[in-house]
Amino acid sequence: MAHPRHTRVLDDLRAQIARVERSGRTRRAVLPFGAPAIDGRLPDGGLALGALHEVGPSGPELTHAAAAGLFVGGILARLNGPVLWCLSRRDLFAPALSAVGLKPERLLFAETHGGDSSVLLVMEEGLRHRGLAGVVGEVRKLSLTEARRLQLAAEASGVVALALRRWAGAAVTDPTAAASRWRLTALPSTPLPVAGVGRPRWRVELTRCRGGEAADWIMEGCDVQGRLAVPSDVADRSASADERHRAAAR
């Protein structure tokens, strides 16, 4: 049996080591969403910059794909500087990105003709340039090796990388080196007291987060400044109702 004095010495030593580790830890640069429910689930209180993140729709419907694209646009709208958007098909609706705060003058489009492999090569090259706010690549598939290359390039430059996963016939569940993985579902818009279409409403799912836990939320889509908002009728629900919703959604 250890002597009580020895036990106290060991406890003191462990406490000192823990303090040194905490003081030496570099806080990562992050971009908060401004929604406490989401930021509270993310390490350091926001989306990690200088990292790769994956975003995709929950199904093949165009409304879900549009929600995923606008979610990415809203993230980049809250950063400063030009954005490199890599794609292989001319089906991006720029006015919709402008509506969530990502203005056309900030966008640099790189259209490739070799499919996902070409998009990923352009993404990796773009991530070497520190003057960019972010790099987006529209791809169907992203292998673990390719994700690691993008993650390392993003870490080296400090530029955020966003892989916008097009629907490939199934939900994205393959292994990844990305810091986080998001899934978007378009829901009926926020009801208005008069006839008309209200603010878009999405189910935002964080399906993977390095250093964090999976979660999902019902949110109003990005506004003209790229910000999400909690619908008033959802914000008024009890915590137990939120937990039941999350359990049912999984």
Side-chain angles (χ1 to χ4, degrees):
M1 180 179 295
H3 192 280
R5 182 180 177 184
H6 294 168
T7 302
R8 288 196 298 272
V9 170
L10 288 173
D11 289 342
D12 290 343
L13 182 58
R14 292 190 185 103
Q16 291 178 39
I17 292 173
R19 286 195 294 271
V20 170
E21 289 177 340
R22 287 195 296 269
S23 63
R25 178 175 176 267
T26 301
R27 185 178 177 86
R28 295 183 300 177
V30 298
L31 177 69
F33 281 91
I38 297 179
D39 292 333
R41 287 275 185 161
L42 297 172
D44 296 322
L47 192 76
L49 302 179
L52 169 67
H53 305 276
E54 292 185 38
V55 181
S58 63
E61 292 82 359
L62 291 178
T63 52
H64 303 327
L70 293 177
F71 179 77
V72 167
I75 290 171
L76 296 167
R78 292 181 285 114
L79 293 169
N80 296 318
V83 171
L84 177 63
W85 199 295
C86 312
L87 68 171
S88 58
R89 292 177 6 185
R90 296 186 184 182
D91 59 356
L92 184 66
F93 191 55
L97 293 178
S98 183
V100 297
L102 187 55
K103 302 304 180 184
E105 58 268 23
R106 293 185 54 203
L107 286 166
L108 303 171
F109 292 111
E111 183 181 357
T112 70
H113 300 283
D116 287 353
S117 59
S118 295
V119 169
L120 292 168
L121 285 173
V122 177
M123 280 187 73
E124 188 175 348
E125 178 63 29
L127 286 168
R128 296 194 177 101
H129 298 273
R130 297 176 183 272
L132 294 173
V135 175
V136 183
E138 297 185 17
V139 294
R140 285 182 177 271
K141 296 181 180 180
L142 182 65
S143 70
L144 182 59
T145 299
E146 291 164 337
R148 283 174 176 160
R149 291 180 64 92
L150 294 176
Q151 173 64 26
L152 289 173
E155 288 178 357
S157 65
V159 177
V160 67
L162 295 158
L164 183 53
R165 301 289 298 270
R166 288 181 172 272
W167 180 254
V172 177
T173 58
D174 47 314
T176 183
S180 70
R181 176 178 275 166
W182 303 79
R183 185 165 57 201
L184 275 290
T185 303
L187 302 175
S189 61
T190 300
L192 295 177
V194 295
V197 178
R199 185 169 171 177
R201 189 176 288 198
W202 304 332
R203 173 174 289 120
V204 179
E205 298 177 75
L206 177 61
T207 62
R208 180 188 184 279
C209 181
R210 188 185 305 156
E213 297 180 359
D216 69 90
W217 307 267
I218 303 298
M219 305 294 293
E220 289 185 337
C222 299
D223 62 12
V224 294
Q225 294 180 313
R227 298 174 303 187
L228 297 169
V230 179
S232 58
D233 56 334
V234 174
D236 291 339
R237 293 189 310 181
S238 66
S240 59
D242 284 337
E243 290 300 325
R244 287 196 298 272
H245 163 72
R246 282 196 285 270
R250 292 194 179 102

